[in-house]
């Protein structure tokens, strides 16, 4: 997160306007100006990261920001606020509040003096915010849900691909929007890869996140735990089989066993809907054309990974899969210097990279004639 602030600090001296050709008696140029007050709304997962992604660009381009922390996870953003005070930022530039989305969040959206909403969270809430923002015609950026594909070709480095696929859906106990919860494996290696992923997942330590060797932590809160568990039953009821997992963990805590569903069809809810837990589906494919069609058969388009040793395959597939970010052979590598966008129901607007200028400034054109 410190790197995020360092990156945006570098933009402060690099925001420039343009001059335009004109006939001799006039001079036309443009300026980039701050929007004013930014309303930032972040989710409960990854609160420190999400807070830095909102605050850093807002203040770098001369805005102030009111950040609403996730209802279930306000402490990390509030601690960041304390650090900002210690760093000496003037009072009123960064303001961090807690409260429910329906109250505190909605007030930011409705307030006429808030010029922009930058939201990270569920697609359902993002759609509501977009409708609400119409009343004041706010600028809005929405980073929403995902149901990302992991595509493993037969020529991939299987050790890396299996590791990437496992990390791709159990990281953060599956509570991440970019995670690869639809795994597609070329049919000639499908059985071996499926078994390798299932075996790796079944050996992961589930436990307290405060223990250094824990690899799968609990669900964040009871309501979410119940939702994830309900999908385990939905998958079984619709005919899928759990190659591993498929049940909650008994005892204390909101633990769900990492689950890999096989015998899955594209009509099943576990294939289509964002579960936001350590639950993935695995499906075989024949060739590029088929897997591209399956990967794009989703209302989401946030992220995805491709595993192959062929550069041409990598270029062809990455150009046709509709996702805002694609990883070829690594997984889950985010760089604030590169734009981050979403296709379809995964969002509106771009964060990070050079496009952050458009996200947090307004263009003014000045025409002079004397």
């Amino acid at each position: 997160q410190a790197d995020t602030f360092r990156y945006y600090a570098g933009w402060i001296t690099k925001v420039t306007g343009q001059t335009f050709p004109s006939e001799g008696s006039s001079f036309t140029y443009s300026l980039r100006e701050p929007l004013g007050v930014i309303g930032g709304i972040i989710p409960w997962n990854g609160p420190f990261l999400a807070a830095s992604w909102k605050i850093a660009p807002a203040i770098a381009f001369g805005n102030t920001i009111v950040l609403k922390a996730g209802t279930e996870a306000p402490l990390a953003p509030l601690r960041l606020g304390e650090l900002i005070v210690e760093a000496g930022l003037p009072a009123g530039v960064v303001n961090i509040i807690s409260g429910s989305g329906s109250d505190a969040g909605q007030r930011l959206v409705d307030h006429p003096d808030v010029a922009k909403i930058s939201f990270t969270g569920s697609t359902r809430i993002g759609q509501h915010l977009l409708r609400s923002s119409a009343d004041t015609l706010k600028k809005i950026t929405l980073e929403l849900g995902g149901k990302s594909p992991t595509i493993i070709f037969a020529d991939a480095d299987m050790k890396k691909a299996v590791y990437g696929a496992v990390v791709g859906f159990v990281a953060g106990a599956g509570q991440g929007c970019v995670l690869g919860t639809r795994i597609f494996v070329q049919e000639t290696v499908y059985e071996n890869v499926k078994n390798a992923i299932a075996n790796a997942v079944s050996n992961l330590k589930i436990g307290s996140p405060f223990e250094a060797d824990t690899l799968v932590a609990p669900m964040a809160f009871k309501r979410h735990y119940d939702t994830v568990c309900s999908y385990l039953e939905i998958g079984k009821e619709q005919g899928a089989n759990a190659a591993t997992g498929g049940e909650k963990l008994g005892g204390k805590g909101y633990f769900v066993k990492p689950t890999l569903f096989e015998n899955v069809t594209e009509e099943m809810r576990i294939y289509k809907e964002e579960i936001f837990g350590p639950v993935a589906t695995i499906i075989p494919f024949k060739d590029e054309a088929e897997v591209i069609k399956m990967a794009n058969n989703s209302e989401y388009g946030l992220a995805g990974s491709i595993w192959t040793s062929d550069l041409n395959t990598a270029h062809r597939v990455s150009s046709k899969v509709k996702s805002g970010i694609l990883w070829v052979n690594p997984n889950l590598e985010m760089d604030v210097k590169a734009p981050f966008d979403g296709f379809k129901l995964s969002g509106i607007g771009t964060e990070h990279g050079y496009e952050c200028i458009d996200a947090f400034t307004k263009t003014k054109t000045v025409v002079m004639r004397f």
Side-chain angles (χ1 to χ4, degrees):
Q1 285 71 61
D3 288 342
T4 299
F5 283 91
R6 292 191 185 98
Y7 170 74
Y8 283 109
W11 274 108
I12 293 173
T13 57
K14 301 173 183 65
V15 181
T16 60
Q18 294 177 286
T19 60
F20 305 95
S22 58
E23 47 98 2
S25 62
S26 67
F27 175 52
T28 303
Y29 64 97
S30 65
L31 301 169
R32 285 284 188 172
E33 296 188 348
L35 294 171
V37 180
I38 307 297
I41 303 175
I42 62 173
W44 49 263
N45 66 316
F48 210 93
L49 177 66
S52 67
W53 282 6
K54 306 300 184 192
I55 294 171
I59 62 176
F61 298 113
N63 304 283
T64 60
I65 182 169
V66 179
L67 182 83
K68 194 201 84 67
T71 306
E72 296 84 3
L75 298 183
L78 291 171
R79 175 56 181 151
L80 178 59
E82 292 177 342
L83 296 174
I84 288 171
V85 171
E86 291 179 22
L89 203 68
V93 175
V94 173
N95 311 273
I96 299 176
I97 61 174
S98 59
S100 70
S102 59
D103 184 7
Q106 190 64 48
R107 292 191 184 203
L108 284 176
V109 178
D110 294 339
H111 202 294
D113 292 336
V114 174
K116 173 190 171 78
I117 293 293
S118 180
F119 171 78
T120 299
S122 73
T123 295
R124 180 179 62 84
I125 298 300
Q127 291 168 323
H128 168 74
L129 296 181
L130 185 60
R131 296 185 192 101
S132 296
S133 68
D135 291 338
T136 53
L137 292 181
K138 285 177 169 52
K139 198 167 186 175
I140 191 161
T141 299
L142 303 174
E143 195 264 284
L144 307 176
K147 193 71 178 177
S148 302
T150 295
I151 302 171
I152 302 175
F153 285 94
D155 64 356
D157 181 324
M158 287 306 164
K159 184 176 180 180
K160 292 181 179 178
V162 168
Y163 176 81
V166 171
V167 172
F169 82 92
V170 302
Q175 299 169 121
C177 53
V178 298
L179 297 184
T181 53
R182 293 183 299 143
I183 303 172
F184 303 102
V185 183
Q186 200 153 23
E187 61 184 13
T188 55
V189 295
Y190 173 78
E191 286 297 328
N192 288 339
V193 172
K194 179 197 71 177
N195 292 335
I197 293 174
N199 181 64
V201 167
S202 65
N203 287 312
L204 297 176
K205 181 185 174 182
I206 305 171
S208 169
F210 297 104
E211 297 177 4
D213 58 345
T214 291
L215 294 174
V216 182
M219 299 296 95
F221 48 95
K222 178 65 162 60
R223 177 166 44 86
H224 182 56
Y225 168 75
D226 291 339
T227 297
V228 174
C229 290
S230 73
Y231 275 101
L232 301 180
E233 298 310 312
I234 289 168
K236 297 171 189 175
E237 289 169 3
Q238 294 190 329
N241 296 326
T244 186
E247 57 190 357
K248 56 189 176 183
L249 197 66
K252 186 178 181 180
Y254 302 141
F255 294 98
V256 175
K257 289 184 179 180
T259 299
L260 184 68
F261 277 115
E262 59 179 334
N263 298 327
V264 174
T265 67
E266 295 176 80
E267 292 73 36
M268 291 182 180
R269 288 181 61 188
I270 57 171
Y271 177 91
K272 297 190 295 183
E273 298 176 13
E274 185 177 38
I275 299 173
F276 225 64
V279 182
T281 60
I282 188 164
I283 300 176
F285 69 89
K286 294 179 182 179
D287 52 29
E288 283 183 31
E290 183 180 37
V291 76
I292 289 167
K293 184 178 179 181
M294 288 194 295
N296 289 335
N297 183 21
S298 174
E299 62 185 3
Y300 297 107
L302 190 59
S305 67
I306 301 165
W307 302 85
T308 178
S309 61
D310 188 286
L311 182 60
N312 292 322
T313 299
H315 278 300
R316 285 193 302 269
V317 177
S318 61
S319 70
K320 294 177 181 178
V321 173
K322 297 186 181 300
S323 293
I325 184 169
L326 286 165
W327 298 284
V328 180
N329 296 327
N331 205 358
L332 306 182
E333 294 185 8
M334 304 290 289
D335 190 337
V336 73
K337 298 185 291 295
F340 183 40
D341 208 332
F343 284 52
K344 297 182 276 189
L345 292 186
S346 286
I348 291 177
T350 305
E351 294 185 303
H352 310 326
Y354 63 90
E355 296 189 43
C356 62
I357 300 175
D358 286 330
F360 287 92
T361 66
K362 189 80 172 173
T363 302
K364 174 188 289 181
T365 295
V366 180
V367 180
M368 289 188 176
R369 187 185 299 275
F370 290 94

